[in-house]
Amino acid sequence: MSSEPPNHEMVVLPKLTSSVRAFGDFRKVLHTGLYSQVVAMEIPVGGDIGDEVHLVDQILIFTSGRCKATVAGKDRDVEASDVVIVPAGTQHQFVNTGDKPLELVTIYSPPEHNSQTVHKTKEEGDKEEEAGRDEAPSWSQRSREENERLGLVKASGGPY
């Protein structure tokens, strides 16, 4: 994964939501675009994502397991094939209530994490975030207008 803005090419994440998978890491960034980010997460039995608030939108696609979702103070049971949308600035927490790891794919818009992020455990992720070592790339935080001015996006679709 590059620390530079992405190239203008297709990105395929094969079998990301297949019935047989084991992400293996608490958090792994799979792709960071100019305006969004795809992250795989695996939460151990009894574990949680962390009670948090992001200043970006987050869409969570649950691929395996079940959990208790708490968003804006409201609880709901969530399971594989459910999608939860957490608007920017909304407190949220997800706790694995199942008997196997909870697996999900989350999409942040704009990106939330460093494009190279891999955290084996929640504790590792918390330490990296607290130390300021898990920040989204600066290029992913620019406005559409600035990216157009820099030639990173063109309404014509290129050439680049």
Side-chain angles (χ1 to χ4, degrees):
M1 281 176 255
S2 172
S3 60
E4 298 297 316
N7 293 325
H8 293 273
E9 59 192 24
M10 182 186 310
V11 174
V12 177
L13 304 171
K15 307 207 182 300
L16 186 59
T17 61
S18 70
S19 60
V20 179
R21 101 209 116 262
F23 293 147
D25 298 309
F26 173 74
R27 178 185 296 122
K28 181 177 183 178
V29 172
L30 302 176
H31 175 74
T32 302
L34 285 177
Y35 307 117
S36 62
Q37 186 172 62
V38 180
V39 177
M41 296 185 76
E42 182 174 297
I43 314 305
V45 173
D48 64 84
I49 287 177
D51 191 4
E52 57 191 6
V53 175
H54 298 298
L55 300 180
V56 303
D57 289 332
Q58 185 176 12
I59 300 167
L60 300 97
I61 304 162
F62 292 86
T63 59
S64 181
R66 62 179 190 265
C67 70
K68 179 176 90 171
T70 304
V71 178
K74 295 187 179 171
D75 294 337
R76 180 169 178 156
D77 291 330
V78 173
E79 61 186 26
S81 81
D82 289 344
V83 175
V84 176
I85 299 169
V86 180
T90 305
Q91 188 169 10
H92 58 281
Q93 167 69 297
F94 297 87
V95 178
N96 184 347
T97 57
D99 57 2
K100 63 182 179 179
L102 175 67
E103 294 180 347
L104 62 125
V105 175
T106 186
I107 300 166
Y108 295 100
S109 182
E112 175 73 5
H113 297 282
N114 183 298
S115 58
Q116 314 269 329
T117 289
V118 177
H119 296 141
K120 292 290 182 194
T121 65
K122 179 179 181 301
E123 294 73 26
E124 179 184 344
D126 290 346
K127 283 171 98 173
E128 291 285 307
E129 288 179 357
E130 289 168 14
R133 292 189 299 259
D134 188 28
E135 301 298 318
S138 58
W139 52 259
S140 71
Q141 305 300 298
R142 291 191 292 239
S143 69
R144 188 185 84 195
E145 292 78 15
E146 187 174 357
N147 283 327
E148 287 174 354
R149 184 180 59 74
L150 294 169
L152 294 174
V153 291
K154 299 177 183 177
S156 65
Y160 292 96

